[in-house]
Coordinates of all heavy atoms in Angstrom, one line a residue:
A293 N 10.9 5.1 -18.8 CA 10.3 6.0 -17.8 C 10.3 5.3 -16.4 O 10.6 5.9 -15.4 CB 8.9 6.4 -18.2
R294 N 10.0 4.0 -16.4 CA 10.0 3.2 -15.2 C 11.4 3.2 -14.5 O 11.5 3.4 -13.3 CB 9.5 1.8 -15.4 CG 9.5 0.9 -14.2 CD 8.2 1.2 -13.4 NE 8.2 0.3 -12.3 CZ 7.6 0.6 -11.2 NH1 6.9 1.7 -11.1 NH2 7.6 -0.2 -10.2
L295 N 12.4 2.9 -15.3 CA 13.8 2.8 -14.8 C 14.2 4.2 -14.3 O 14.9 4.3 -13.2 CB 14.7 2.3 -15.8 CG 14.6 0.8 -16.1 CD1 15.6 0.5 -17.3 CD2 14.9 0.0 -14.9
R296 N 13.8 5.3 -15.0 CA 14.2 6.6 -14.5 C 13.5 6.9 -13.2 O 14.1 7.5 -12.3 CB 13.8 7.7 -15.6 CG 14.9 7.8 -16.7 CD 14.5 9.0 -17.5 NE 13.2 8.8 -18.0 CZ 12.8 9.0 -19.3 NH1 13.7 9.4 -20.1 NH2 11.6 8.8 -19.7
S297 N 12.3 6.5 -13.0 CA 11.5 6.8 -11.8 C 12.1 6.1 -10.6 O 12.1 6.7 -9.5 CB 10.0 6.6 -12.0 OG 9.8 5.2 -12.0
I298 N 12.6 4.9 -10.8 CA 13.1 4.1 -9.6 C 14.5 4.5 -9.3 O 15.0 4.2 -8.3 CB 12.9 2.6 -9.7 CG1 13.8 2.1 -10.9 CG2 11.5 2.2 -9.8 CD1 13.8 0.5 -10.9
H299 N 15.2 5.3 -10.2 CA 16.5 5.8 -10.0 C 16.5 7.2 -9.5 O 17.6 7.8 -9.3 CB 17.4 5.6 -11.2 CG 17.8 4.2 -11.6 ND1 17.4 3.1 -10.9 CD2 18.6 3.7 -12.6 CE1 17.9 2.0 -11.4 NE2 18.6 2.4 -12.4
G300 N 15.4 7.8 -9.4 CA 15.3 9.2 -8.9 C 15.7 9.4 -7.5 O 15.7 8.5 -6.7
T301 N 16.1 10.6 -7.2 CA 16.6 10.9 -5.9 C 15.6 10.6 -4.8 O 14.4 11.0 -4.9 CB 17.0 12.4 -5.8 OG1 17.9 12.7 -6.8 CG2 17.5 12.8 -4.4
G302 N 15.9 9.8 -3.9 CA 15.0 9.4 -2.8 C 14.0 8.3 -3.1 O 13.2 8.0 -2.2
S303 N 14.0 7.8 -4.3 CA 13.0 6.8 -4.6 C 13.1 5.5 -3.9 O 12.1 4.8 -3.7 CB 13.0 6.6 -6.2 OG 14.2 6.0 -6.5
G304 N 14.3 5.2 -3.4 CA 14.5 4.0 -2.7 C 14.7 4.2 -1.2 O 15.2 3.3 -0.5
S305 N 14.4 5.4 -0.7 CA 14.6 5.7 0.7 C 13.9 4.7 1.6 O 14.4 4.4 2.7 CB 14.2 7.1 1.0 OG 15.0 8.0 0.3
W306 N 12.8 4.2 1.2 CA 12.0 3.3 2.0 C 12.7 2.0 2.3 O 12.5 1.4 3.3 CB 10.6 3.1 1.4 CG 10.7 2.3 0.1 CD1 10.9 2.8 -1.1 CD2 10.5 0.9 -0.1 NE1 10.8 1.8 -2.1 CE2 10.6 0.6 -1.4 CE3 10.2 -0.2 0.8 CZ2 10.5 -0.6 -2.0 CZ3 10.1 -1.4 0.3 CH2 10.3 -1.6 -1.1
L307 N 13.7 1.7 1.4 CA 14.5 0.5 1.6 C 15.5 0.6 2.7 O 16.0 -0.4 3.3 CB 15.2 0.1 0.3 CG 14.2 -0.3 -0.9 CD1 15.0 -0.3 -2.2 CD2 13.6 -1.6 -0.6
E308 N 15.9 1.8 3.0 CA 16.9 2.1 4.0 C 16.4 2.6 5.3 O 17.1 2.8 6.3 CB 18.0 3.0 3.5 CG 18.7 2.5 2.2 CD 19.5 3.6 1.6 OE1 19.6 4.7 2.1 OE2 20.1 3.3 0.5
A309 N 15.1 3.0 5.3 CA 14.5 3.7 6.5 C 14.3 2.7 7.6 O 13.8 1.6 7.4 CB 13.2 4.3 6.1
A310 N 14.7 3.1 8.8 CA 14.5 2.3 10.0 C 13.1 2.6 10.5 O 12.8 3.8 10.7 CB 15.5 2.6 11.1
P311 N 12.2 1.7 10.7 CA 10.8 2.0 11.2 C 10.9 2.7 12.6 O 11.6 2.3 13.5 CB 10.1 0.6 11.3 CG 11.2 -0.4 11.2 CD 12.4 0.3 10.6
S312 N 10.1 3.7 12.7 CA 10.0 4.5 14.0 C 8.9 4.0 14.8 O 8.8 4.4 16.0 CB 9.9 6.0 13.7 OG 8.8 6.2 12.9
S313 N 8.0 3.1 14.3 CA 7.0 2.5 15.1 C 6.6 1.2 14.5 O 6.9 0.9 13.4 CB 5.7 3.4 15.2 OG 5.0 3.3 14.1
D314 N 5.9 0.4 15.3 CA 5.5 -0.9 14.8 C 4.6 -0.8 13.6 O 4.6 -1.7 12.7 CB 4.7 -1.7 15.9 CG 5.7 -2.2 17.0 OD1 6.9 -2.2 16.7 OD2 5.2 -2.5 18.1
K315 N 3.8 0.3 13.5 CA 2.9 0.5 12.4 C 3.6 0.7 11.1 O 3.0 0.6 10.0 CB 1.9 1.6 12.7 CG 0.9 1.3 13.7 CD -0.2 2.4 13.9 CE -1.1 2.0 14.9 NZ -2.5 2.0 14.6
L316 N 4.8 1.2 11.2 CA 5.6 1.5 10.0 C 6.6 0.3 9.6 O 7.4 0.4 8.7 CB 6.4 2.7 10.2 CG 5.6 4.0 10.5 CD1 6.5 5.2 10.8 CD2 4.7 4.3 9.3
T317 N 6.4 -0.8 10.3 CA 7.3 -2.0 10.0 C 6.5 -2.9 9.0 O 5.4 -3.2 9.2 CB 7.5 -2.8 11.3 OG1 8.2 -1.9 12.2 CG2 8.4 -4.0 11.1
L318 N 7.2 -3.3 8.0 CA 6.7 -4.2 7.0 C 6.9 -5.6 7.4 O 8.0 -6.0 7.8 CB 7.3 -3.9 5.6 CG 7.0 -2.6 4.9 CD1 7.8 -2.5 3.6 CD2 5.5 -2.5 4.6
E319 N 5.9 -6.4 7.3 CA 6.1 -7.8 7.5 C 6.8 -8.4 6.3 O 6.8 -7.7 5.2 CB 4.7 -8.5 7.5 CG 3.9 -8.2 8.8 CD 4.5 -8.6 10.0 OE1 5.1 -9.7 10.0 OE2 4.4 -7.9 11.1
P320 N 7.5 -9.5 6.4 CA 8.3 -10.0 5.3 C 7.5 -10.2 4.0 O 8.0 -9.8 2.9 CB 8.8 -11.4 5.8 CG 8.9 -11.2 7.2 CD 7.7 -10.3 7.6
C321 N 6.2 -10.6 4.1 CA 5.4 -10.8 2.8 C 5.1 -9.4 2.3 O 5.0 -9.3 1.0 CB 4.2 -11.6 3.1 SG 3.0 -10.9 4.3
E322 N 4.9 -8.4 3.1 CA 4.6 -7.1 2.6 C 5.8 -6.5 1.9 O 5.7 -5.8 0.9 CB 4.1 -6.1 3.8 CG 2.8 -6.6 4.4 CD 2.5 -5.8 5.7 OE1 3.5 -5.5 6.4 OE2 1.3 -5.6 6.0
F323 N 7.0 -6.7 2.5 CA 8.2 -6.2 1.9 C 8.4 -6.8 0.6 O 8.8 -6.2 -0.4 CB 9.4 -6.4 2.8 CG 10.7 -5.9 2.3 CD1 11.0 -4.6 2.5 CD2 11.5 -6.7 1.5 CE1 12.2 -4.1 1.9 CE2 12.7 -6.2 1.0 CZ 13.0 -4.9 1.2
R324 N 8.2 -8.1 0.5 CA 8.4 -8.9 -0.8 C 7.5 -8.3 -1.9 O 7.9 -8.1 -3.0 CB 8.1 -10.3 -0.5 CG 8.3 -11.2 -1.8 CD 8.1 -12.7 -1.5 NE 8.3 -13.4 -2.7 CZ 7.4 -14.2 -3.2 NH1 6.3 -14.5 -2.6 NH2 7.7 -14.9 -4.3
L325 N 6.2 -8.1 -1.5 CA 5.2 -7.5 -2.5 C 5.6 -6.1 -2.9 O 5.5 -5.8 -4.1 CB 3.8 -7.6 -2.0 CG 3.2 -9.0 -1.8 CD1 1.8 -8.9 -1.2 CD2 3.1 -9.7 -3.1
A326 N 6.1 -5.3 -2.0 CA 6.5 -3.9 -2.3 C 7.7 -4.0 -3.2 O 7.8 -3.2 -4.2 CB 6.8 -3.2 -1.0
A327 N 8.7 -4.9 -3.0 CA 9.9 -5.0 -3.8 C 9.5 -5.5 -5.2 O 10.0 -5.0 -6.2 CB 10.9 -5.9 -3.1
L328 N 8.6 -6.5 -5.3 CA 8.2 -7.0 -6.6 C 7.5 -5.9 -7.4 O 7.7 -5.7 -8.6 CB 7.2 -8.2 -6.4 CG 7.8 -9.5 -5.9 CD1 6.8 -10.5 -5.6 CD2 8.8 -10.0 -7.0
M329 N 6.7 -5.1 -6.7 CA 6.0 -4.0 -7.4 C 7.0 -2.9 -7.9 O 6.9 -2.4 -9.0 CB 4.9 -3.3 -6.5 CG 4.1 -2.3 -7.2 SD 2.7 -1.8 -6.3 CE 1.6 -3.1 -6.8
R330 N 7.9 -2.6 -7.0 CA 9.0 -1.6 -7.4 C 9.7 -2.1 -8.6 O 10.1 -1.3 -9.5 CB 9.9 -1.4 -6.2 CG 11.1 -0.5 -6.6 CD 11.9 -0.2 -5.3 NE 13.2 0.4 -5.6 CZ 13.4 1.6 -5.8 NH1 12.3 2.5 -5.8 NH2 14.6 2.1 -6.1
L331 N 10.0 -3.4 -8.7 CA 10.8 -3.9 -9.8 C 9.9 -4.3 -11.0 O 10.4 -4.8 -12.0 CB 11.6 -5.2 -9.3 CG 12.6 -4.9 -8.3 CD1 13.2 -6.2 -7.7 CD2 13.7 -4.0 -8.8
R332 N 8.6 -4.1 -10.8 CA 7.6 -4.5 -11.8 C 7.6 -5.9 -12.2 O 7.5 -6.3 -13.4 CB 7.8 -3.6 -13.1 CG 6.5 -3.6 -13.8 CD 6.4 -2.5 -14.8 NE 5.0 -2.8 -15.2 CZ 4.4 -2.3 -16.2 NH1 4.9 -1.4 -16.9 NH2 3.3 -2.7 -16.6
C333 N 7.8 -6.8 -11.2 CA 7.8 -8.2 -11.4 C 6.3 -8.7 -11.2 O 5.6 -8.1 -10.4 CB 8.7 -8.9 -10.4 SG 10.4 -8.5 -10.7
P334 N 5.9 -9.8 -11.8 CA 4.6 -10.3 -11.6 C 4.4 -10.7 -10.1 O 5.3 -11.1 -9.4 CB 4.5 -11.6 -12.4 CG 5.6 -11.4 -13.4 CD 6.7 -10.6 -12.8
M335 N 3.2 -10.4 -9.6 CA 2.8 -10.8 -8.2 C 2.5 -12.3 -8.1 O 1.9 -12.8 -9.1 CB 1.6 -10.0 -7.8 CG 1.9 -8.5 -7.7 SD 2.9 -8.1 -6.3 CE 3.2 -6.4 -6.6
P336 N 2.8 -12.9 -7.0 CA 2.5 -14.3 -6.8 C 1.1 -14.5 -6.4 O 0.8 -15.1 -5.3 CB 3.5 -14.7 -5.7 CG 3.6 -13.5 -4.9 CD 3.5 -12.3 -5.9
F337 N 0.1 -14.1 -7.2 CA -1.3 -14.3 -6.9 C -1.7 -15.7 -7.1 O -1.3 -16.4 -8.0 CB -2.2 -13.4 -7.8 CG -2.1 -11.9 -7.6 CD1 -1.9 -11.1 -8.7 CD2 -2.1 -11.4 -6.3 CE1 -1.7 -9.7 -8.5 CE2 -2.0 -10.0 -6.1 CZ -1.8 -9.2 -7.2
E338 N -2.6 -16.1 -6.2 CA -3.1 -17.5 -6.3 C -4.3 -17.5 -7.3 O -4.8 -16.4 -7.7 CB -3.7 -17.9 -4.9 CG -2.7 -17.9 -3.8 CD -1.6 -19.0 -4.0 OE1 -1.9 -20.1 -4.6 OE2 -0.4 -18.8 -3.6
S339 N -4.6 -18.7 -7.8 CA -5.7 -18.8 -8.8 C -7.0 -18.2 -8.3 O -7.8 -17.7 -9.1 CB -5.8 -20.2 -9.2 OG -6.2 -21.0 -8.1
W340 N -7.3 -18.2 -7.0 CA -8.5 -17.7 -6.5 C -8.7 -16.2 -6.7 O -9.7 -15.6 -6.6 CB -8.7 -18.0 -5.0 CG -7.6 -17.6 -4.1 CD1 -6.6 -18.3 -3.7 CD2 -7.5 -16.3 -3.5 NE1 -5.8 -17.5 -2.9 CE2 -6.3 -16.3 -2.7 CE3 -8.3 -15.1 -3.5 CZ2 -5.9 -15.2 -2.0 CZ3 -7.8 -14.0 -2.8 CH2 -6.6 -14.1 -2.1
L341 N -7.5 -15.5 -7.0 CA -7.6 -14.1 -7.1 C -7.5 -13.7 -8.6 O -6.9 -12.7 -9.0 CB -6.4 -13.4 -6.4 CG -6.4 -11.9 -6.2 CD1 -7.7 -11.5 -5.5 CD2 -5.2 -11.5 -5.4
A342 N -8.1 -14.5 -9.5 CA -8.1 -14.2 -10.9 C -8.9 -13.1 -11.3 O -8.7 -12.4 -12.2 CB -8.5 -15.5 -11.7
K343 N -10.0 -12.8 -10.5 CA -10.9 -11.7 -10.7 C -11.1 -10.9 -9.5 O -11.1 -11.4 -8.4 CB -12.3 -12.2 -11.2 CG -12.3 -12.7 -12.6 CD -13.7 -12.9 -13.1 CE -13.7 -13.2 -14.6 NZ -15.0 -13.4 -15.1
C344 N -11.3 -9.6 -9.7 CA -11.6 -8.7 -8.6 C -13.0 -8.8 -8.2 O -13.8 -9.4 -9.0 CB -11.3 -7.2 -9.1 SG -11.6 -5.9 -7.9
E345 N -13.4 -8.2 -7.1 CA -14.8 -8.2 -6.7 C -15.7 -7.5 -7.7 O -16.9 -7.8 -7.8 CB -15.0 -7.6 -5.4 CG -14.4 -8.4 -4.2 CD -14.6 -7.6 -2.9 OE1 -15.5 -6.8 -2.8 OE2 -13.8 -7.9 -2.0
C346 N -15.1 -6.6 -8.5 CA -15.9 -5.8 -9.5 C -16.1 -6.7 -10.8 O -16.9 -6.3 -11.6 CB -15.2 -4.5 -9.9 SG -13.7 -4.7 -10.9
G347 N -15.5 -7.8 -10.9 CA -15.7 -8.7 -12.0 C -14.6 -8.6 -13.1 O -14.5 -9.4 -14.0
R348 N -13.7 -7.6 -12.9 CA -12.6 -7.4 -13.9 C -11.5 -8.3 -13.5 O -11.2 -8.6 -12.4 CB -12.2 -6.0 -14.0 CG -13.3 -5.1 -14.5 CD -12.9 -3.7 -14.7 NE -11.9 -3.7 -15.8 CZ -11.1 -2.7 -16.1 NH1 -11.1 -1.6 -15.3 NH2 -10.2 -2.7 -17.1
P349 N -10.7 -8.8 -14.5 CA -9.5 -9.6 -14.2 C -8.5 -8.8 -13.5 O -8.3 -7.6 -13.6 CB -9.0 -10.1 -15.6 CG -9.6 -9.1 -16.5 CD -10.8 -8.5 -16.0
V350 N -7.7 -9.5 -12.6 CA -6.6 -8.9 -11.9 C -5.4 -9.1 -12.7 O -5.0 -10.2 -13.1 CB -6.4 -9.7 -10.5 CG1 -5.2 -9.1 -9.8 CG2 -7.7 -9.5 -9.6
D351 N -4.7 -7.9 -13.0 CA -3.5 -8.0 -13.8 C -2.4 -8.6 -13.0 O -2.4 -8.6 -11.8 CB -3.1 -6.6 -14.3 CG -2.9 -5.6 -13.1 OD1 -3.9 -5.2 -12.5 OD2 -1.7 -5.3 -12.9
E352 N -1.4 -9.1 -13.7 CA -0.3 -9.8 -13.0 C 0.6 -8.9 -12.1 O 1.3 -9.4 -11.2 CB 0.6 -10.5 -14.0 CG 1.4 -9.5 -14.9 CD 2.4 -10.3 -15.8 OE1 2.5 -11.5 -15.8 OE2 3.0 -9.6 -16.6
H353 N 0.5 -7.6 -12.2 CA 1.2 -6.7 -11.4 C 0.4 -6.2 -10.2 O 0.9 -5.5 -9.3 CB 1.8 -5.6 -12.2 CG 2.8 -6.0 -13.2 ND1 4.0 -6.6 -13.0 CD2 2.6 -6.0 -14.6 CE1 4.6 -7.0 -14.1 NE2 3.8 -6.6 -15.1
G354 N -0.9 -6.4 -10.2 CA -1.7 -6.0 -9.1 C -2.2 -4.6 -9.1 O -2.7 -4.1 -8.1
Y355 N -1.9 -3.9 -10.2 CA -2.3 -2.5 -10.3 C -3.8 -2.2 -10.2 O -4.2 -1.3 -9.6 CB -1.7 -1.8 -11.5 CG -0.2 -1.8 -11.6 CD1 0.4 -2.2 -12.7 CD2 0.5 -1.4 -10.5 CE1 1.8 -2.2 -12.8 CE2 1.9 -1.4 -10.5 CZ 2.5 -1.8 -11.7 OH 3.9 -1.8 -11.7
H356 N -4.6 -3.1 -10.8 CA -6.0 -3.0 -10.7 C -6.5 -3.0 -9.2 O -7.3 -2.2 -8.8 CB -6.7 -4.1 -11.5 CG -8.2 -4.0 -11.3 ND1 -9.0 -3.2 -12.0 CD2 -9.1 -4.7 -10.5 CE1 -10.3 -3.3 -11.7 NE2 -10.4 -4.2 -10.7
L357 N -5.9 -3.9 -8.4 CA -6.3 -3.9 -7.0 C -6.0 -2.7 -6.2 O -6.7 -2.3 -5.2 CB -5.7 -5.1 -6.3 CG -6.1 -6.5 -6.8 CD1 -5.3 -7.6 -6.2 CD2 -7.6 -6.7 -6.6
L358 N -5.0 -1.9 -6.7 CA -4.6 -0.7 -6.0 C -5.5 0.5 -6.3 O -5.6 1.4 -5.6 CB -3.2 -0.3 -6.4 CG -2.1 -1.2 -5.9 CD1 -0.7 -0.8 -6.4 CD2 -2.0 -1.2 -4.3
T359 N -6.2 0.4 -7.5 CA -7.0 1.5 -7.9 C -8.5 1.2 -7.9 O -9.3 2.2 -7.9 CB -6.6 1.9 -9.3 OG1 -6.8 0.8 -10.2 CG2 -5.2 2.4 -9.4
C360 N -9.0 0.0 -7.8 CA -10.4 -0.3 -7.8 C -11.0 -0.2 -6.5 O -10.5 -0.7 -5.5 CB -10.6 -1.8 -8.3 SG -12.3 -2.3 -8.4
K361 N -12.1 0.5 -6.4 CA -12.7 0.7 -5.1 C -13.3 -0.6 -4.5 O -13.5 -0.7 -3.3 CB -13.8 1.8 -5.1 CG -15.0 1.5 -6.0 CD -16.0 2.7 -6.0 CE -17.1 2.4 -6.9 NZ -18.1 3.4 -6.9
H362 N -13.6 -1.5 -5.4 CA -14.1 -2.8 -5.0 C -12.9 -3.7 -4.5 O -13.1 -4.6 -3.7 CB -14.9 -3.5 -6.1 CG -16.0 -2.8 -6.6 ND1 -17.2 -2.7 -5.8 CD2 -16.2 -2.0 -7.7 CE1 -18.1 -1.9 -6.5 NE2 -17.5 -1.5 -7.6
G363 N -11.8 -3.5 -5.0 CA -10.6 -4.3 -4.7 C -10.0 -3.9 -3.3 O -9.2 -4.6 -2.7
G364 N -10.4 -2.7 -2.9 CA -9.9 -2.3 -1.5 C -8.7 -1.4 -1.5 O -8.4 -0.9 -0.5
G365 N -8.0 -1.2 -2.6 CA -6.8 -0.4 -2.6 C -7.0 1.0 -2.1 O -6.3 1.4 -1.2
P366 N -7.8 1.8 -2.8 CA -8.0 3.2 -2.3 C -8.5 3.3 -0.9 O -8.1 4.1 -0.1 CB -9.0 3.7 -3.3 CG -8.9 2.9 -4.5 CD -8.6 1.5 -4.0
V367 N -9.4 2.4 -0.5 CA -9.9 2.4 0.9 C -8.8 2.0 1.9 O -8.6 2.7 2.9 CB -11.1 1.4 1.0 CG1 -11.5 1.3 2.5 CG2 -12.3 1.8 0.2
W368 N -8.0 1.0 1.6 CA -6.9 0.6 2.4 C -5.9 1.8 2.6 O -5.4 2.1 3.7 CB -6.2 -0.6 1.9 CG -5.0 -1.0 2.7 CD1 -5.0 -1.7 3.9 CD2 -3.7 -0.7 2.4 NE1 -3.8 -1.9 4.3 CE2 -2.9 -1.2 3.5 CE3 -3.0 0.0 1.4 CZ2 -1.5 -1.1 3.5 CZ3 -1.7 0.2 1.5 CH2 -0.9 -0.4 2.5
Q369 N -5.5 2.4 1.4 CA -4.6 3.5 1.5 C -5.1 4.7 2.3 O -4.4 5.2 3.1 CB -4.3 4.0 0.0 CG -3.5 3.0 -0.8 CD -3.4 3.3 -2.2 OE1 -3.6 4.5 -2.6 NE2 -3.1 2.4 -3.1
H370 N -6.4 5.0 2.1 CA -7.0 6.1 2.8 C -7.0 5.8 4.3 O -6.6 6.6 5.1 CB -8.5 6.3 2.3 CG -9.3 7.2 3.2 ND1 -10.0 6.7 4.3 CD2 -9.5 8.5 3.2 CE1 -10.6 7.7 4.9 NE2 -10.3 8.8 4.2
D371 N -7.4 4.6 4.7 CA -7.5 4.2 6.1 C -6.1 4.2 6.7 O -5.9 4.6 7.9 CB -8.1 2.8 6.3 CG -9.6 2.9 6.0 OD1 -10.2 4.0 5.8 OD2 -10.2 1.8 5.9
S372 N -5.1 3.8 6.0 CA -3.7 3.8 6.5 C -3.2 5.2 6.8 O -2.6 5.5 7.8 CB -2.8 3.1 5.5 OG -3.1 1.7 5.4
V373 N -3.5 6.1 5.9 CA -3.1 7.5 6.0 C -3.8 8.1 7.2 O -3.2 8.8 8.1 CB -3.3 8.3 4.7 CG1 -3.1 9.8 5.0 CG2 -2.3 7.8 3.7
T374 N -5.1 7.9 7.3 CA -5.9 8.4 8.4 C -5.4 7.9 9.7 O -5.3 8.7 10.7 CB -7.4 8.0 8.2 OG1 -7.9 8.5 6.9 CG2 -8.3 8.6 9.3
A375 N -5.1 6.6 9.8 CA -4.6 6.0 11.1 C -3.3 6.6 11.4 O -3.0 6.9 12.6 CB -4.5 4.5 10.9
G376 N -2.4 6.8 10.4 CA -1.1 7.4 10.7 C -1.2 8.8 11.2 O -0.5 9.2 12.2
W377 N -2.0 9.7 10.6 CA -2.2 11.0 11.1 C -2.8 11.0 12.5 O -2.4 11.8 13.3 CB -3.1 11.8 10.1 CG -2.3 12.4 9.0 CD1 -2.3 12.0 7.7 CD2 -1.3 13.5 9.1 NE1 -1.4 12.8 7.0 CE2 -0.8 13.7 7.8 CE3 -0.9 14.3 10.2 CZ2 0.2 14.7 7.6 CZ3 0.1 15.2 9.9 CH2 0.6 15.4 8.6
S378 N -3.8 10.2 12.7 CA -4.4 10.1 14.0 C -3.4 9.8 15.1 O -3.4 10.4 16.2 CB -5.5 9.1 14.0 OG -6.2 9.0 15.2
E379 N -2.5 8.8 14.8 CA -1.5 8.4 15.8 C -0.5 9.6 16.0 O -0.2 9.9 17.2 CB -0.7 7.2 15.3 CG 0.3 6.7 16.3 CD 1.0 5.5 15.8 OE1 0.5 4.7 15.0 OE2 2.1 5.2 16.3
C380 N -0.1 10.3 15.0 CA 0.8 11.4 15.1 C 0.1 12.5 16.0 O 0.8 13.1 16.9 CB 1.1 12.0 13.8 SG 2.3 11.0 12.8
L381 N -1.1 12.9 15.7 CA -1.8 13.9 16.5 C -2.0 13.5 17.9 O -1.8 14.3 18.9 CB -3.2 14.2 15.9 CG -3.1 14.8 14.5 CD1 -4.5 14.9 13.9 CD2 -2.5 16.2 14.5
R382 N -2.3 12.2 18.2 CA -2.4 11.7 19.5 C -1.1 11.8 20.3 O -1.0 12.2 21.4 CB -2.9 10.3 19.5 CG -3.3 9.7 20.9 CD -3.8 8.3 20.9 NE -2.8 7.4 20.4 CZ -2.9 6.7 19.3 NH1 -4.0 6.8 18.5 NH2 -2.0 5.9 18.9
D383 N 0.0 11.4 19.6 CA 1.3 11.5 20.2 C 1.7 12.9 20.6 O 2.5 13.1 21.5 CB 2.4 10.8 19.3 CG 2.2 9.3 19.2 OD1 1.5 8.7 20.0 OD2 2.9 8.8 18.3
L384 N 1.2 13.9 19.8 CA 1.5 15.3 20.1 C 0.6 15.8 21.1 O 0.7 17.0 21.5 CB 1.4 16.1 18.8 CG 2.5 15.8 17.7 CD1 2.1 16.5 16.4 CD2 3.8 16.3 18.2
G385 N -0.4 15.0 21.6 CA -1.3 15.5 22.6 C -2.4 16.4 22.1 O -3.1 17.1 22.8
L386 N -2.6 16.3 20.8 CA -3.7 17.1 20.1 C -5.0 16.3 20.1 O -5.0 15.2 19.6 CB -3.2 17.5 18.7 CG -2.0 18.4 18.7 CD1 -1.5 18.6 17.2 CD2 -2.2 19.7 19.4
H387 N -6.0 16.9 20.5 CA -7.3 16.2 20.5 C -7.9 16.4 19.1 O -7.8 17.4 18.5 CB -8.3 16.9 21.5 CG -7.8 16.7 22.9 ND1 -7.8 15.5 23.6 CD2 -7.2 17.6 23.8 CE1 -7.3 15.6 24.8 NE2 -6.9 16.9 24.9
H388 N -8.5 15.3 18.6 CA -9.1 15.3 17.3 C -10.1 14.2 17.2 O -10.2 13.3 18.1 CB -8.0 15.0 16.2 CG -7.3 13.7 16.4 ND1 -6.4 13.4 17.4 CD2 -7.5 12.5 15.7 CE1 -6.1 12.1 17.2 NE2 -6.7 11.6 16.2
K389 N -10.9 14.3 16.2 CA -11.9 13.2 15.9 C -11.5 12.5 14.7 O -11.3 13.1 13.6 CB -13.3 13.8 15.7 CG -14.1 14.0 16.9 CD -15.5 14.4 16.6 CE -16.4 14.4 17.8 NZ -17.7 14.8 17.4
K390 N -11.3 11.2 14.8 CA -11.0 10.4 13.6 C -12.3 10.2 12.8 O -13.3 9.8 13.4 CB -10.4 9.1 14.0 CG -9.8 8.3 12.9 CD -9.1 7.1 13.4 CE -8.7 6.1 12.3 NZ -8.2 4.9 12.8
E391 N -12.3 10.4 11.5 CA -13.5 10.2 10.7 C -14.0 8.7 10.8 O -13.2 7.8 10.9 CB -13.3 10.6 9.3 CG -12.6 9.6 8.4 CD -12.5 9.9 7.0 OE1 -13.3 10.8 6.5 OE2 -11.7 9.4 6.3
V392 N -15.2 8.6 10.7 CA -15.8 7.3 10.7 C -16.5 7.0 9.4 O -17.3 7.8 8.9 CB -16.9 7.1 11.8 CG1 -17.6 5.8 11.8 CG2 -16.3 7.4 13.2
R393 N -16.0 6.0 8.7 CA -16.6 5.6 7.4 C -17.8 4.7 7.6 O -17.9 3.9 8.5 CB -15.6 4.9 6.5 CG -14.7 5.8 5.8 CD -13.8 5.0 4.8 NE -13.2 3.9 5.3 CZ -13.5 2.6 5.0 NH1 -14.6 2.4 4.2 NH2 -12.9 1.6 5.4
D394 N -18.8 4.8 6.7 CA -20.0 4.0 6.7 C -19.7 2.6 6.2 O -18.9 2.4 5.3 CB -21.1 4.6 5.9 CG -21.6 5.9 6.6 OD1 -21.5 6.0 7.8 OD2 -22.1 6.7 5.8

């Protein structure tokens, strides 16, 4: 299933896309982690990251950190999407209020 999903139409488009803004540019370490995740290779976590803030162990692929609300994954993803939409709306000249999280 994993090999089929990474061979699907458009699944690797992010590898060929030219960034249209600085916010869409991956730093070398971010690109490396994204490539490792795509290939399902173990992440180069340091020993200090053996456990998540929730107390559960961090798996070698980092999937727990992407889904645990204590690990920051969902919050980071949410904030990134919110910031992206806010920038698009601002560039279009549309007035909006960006949500404020507690």
Side-chain angles (χ1 to χ4, degrees):
R294 177 81 179 156
L295 287 176
R296 278 190 302 227
S297 71
I298 65 172
H299 287 3
T301 305
S303 66
S305 297
W306 66 276
L307 293 166
E308 301 172 0
S312 56
S313 80
D314 290 340
K315 289 187 181 232
L316 299 175
T317 301
L318 293 175
E319 294 294 326
C321 63
E322 294 169 327
F323 181 85
R324 180 173 180 238
L325 291 175
L328 287 171
M329 183 166 279
R330 176 177 166 79
L331 297 171
R332 199 160 183 192
C333 294
M335 296 289 172
F337 292 130
E338 300 294 329
S339 59
W340 57 265
L341 195 55
K343 283 192 176 183
C344 178
E345 290 178 27
C346 73
R348 296 189 66 197
V350 173
D351 60 287
E352 68 177 356
H353 300 294
Y355 297 131
H356 175 80
L357 295 175
L358 292 174
T359 58
C360 179
K361 66 180 179 180
H362 298 285
V367 173
W368 176 82
Q369 293 170 17
H370 169 271
D371 290 351
S372 297
V373 170
T374 302
W377 275 108
S378 181
E379 184 177 335
C380 288
L381 293 171
R382 187 179 64 246
D383 290 348
L384 291 170
L386 299 173
H387 298 285
H388 66 284
K389 272 189 172 180
K390 189 175 169 187
E391 80 175 341
V392 178
R393 276 190 308 106
D394 294 332

